[in-house]
């Protein structure tokens, strides 16, 4: 039952005060007091006095009060996919978005990657080397120089750099590099390896891109 509740919390978008109390490991009255004082914001169900707390606000509150996110995260791993090629993004969406092990966000620029990295806090990033506004290597360097983000796993994916450049990316802080066209099984294997999760079988084929 505990594992089931943890999985539910990992996917839940709106929380009752009782659920928020369970996630934060405090009393429900503590959550109610924080809500009523404005320290924890949310909304009331129309026509009632019931309080509801959006997930992003609960995460903000927990981070501000140094409350571990373990119950909220469960076993679900967050992945940020950064690529300006719509076909590659569609491929990532097909592979990852329907997988219950992952929560996935997508973007196509280094600027958006920076914003999402700060708010979404991914466990792993699939990062294109050639982005329209900034070199993917710069995105990686900024992640590695930011304390609370430095543990993010970064897998570079590109078809336009040679082996020496790939080695330089690894030296700069990337955890892995895959060259396009890449094998889907190789991609999933790298994702599972760097997230430390058990492999799922059945993915094969290859994907192309620039």
């Amino acid at each position: 039952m505990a594992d089931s509740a943890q999985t539910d919390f990992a996917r839940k978008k709106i929380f009752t005060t009782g659920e928020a109390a369970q996630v934060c490991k405090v009393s429900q009255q503590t959550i109610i007091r924080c809500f009523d004082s404005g320290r924890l914001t949310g909304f009331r169900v129309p026509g009632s006095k019931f309080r509801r707390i959006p997930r992003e606000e609960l995460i903000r509150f927990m981070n501000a009060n140094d409350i571990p996110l373990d119950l909220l995260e469960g076993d679900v791993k967050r992945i940020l996919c950064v690529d300006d090629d719509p076909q590659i993004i569609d491929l990532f969406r097909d592979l990852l978005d329907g997988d219950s092990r992952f929560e996935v966000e997508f973007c196509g620029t280094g600027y958006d990657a920076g914003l999402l990295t700060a708010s979404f806090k991914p466990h792993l990033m699939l990062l294109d080397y050639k982005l329209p506004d900034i070199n993917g290597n710069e995105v990686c360097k900024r992640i590695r120089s930011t304390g609370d983000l430095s543990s993010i796993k970064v897998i570079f994916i590109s078809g336009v750099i040679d082996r020496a450049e790939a080695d330089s990316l690894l030296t700069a802080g990337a955890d892995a590099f895959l060259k396009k066209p890449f094998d889907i099984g190789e991609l999933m294997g790298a994702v599972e390896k760097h997230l430390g999760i058990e492999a799922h079988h059945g993915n094969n084929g290859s994907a192309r891109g620039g």
Side-chain angles (χ1 to χ4, degrees), residues 79-83 89 92 96 104-108 124-126:
I79 300 176
L80 177 59
C81 302
V82 187
D83 201 301
I89 288 295
F92 289 156
L96 303 171
V104 192
E105 291 284 354
F106 308 89
C107 66
L124 180 142
M125 181 183 294
L126 295 174

Side-chain angles (χ1 to χ4, degrees), residues 107-119:
C107 66
T109 67
Y111 176 78
D112 288 338
L115 294 178
L116 276 171
T117 300
S119 61

Side-chain angles (χ1 to χ4, degrees), residues 164-182:
E165 289 175 303
D167 289 341
S168 72
L169 293 179
L170 297 175
T171 301
D175 294 283
F177 172 79
L178 297 178
K179 186 174 178 61
K180 299 175 183 176
F182 54 81

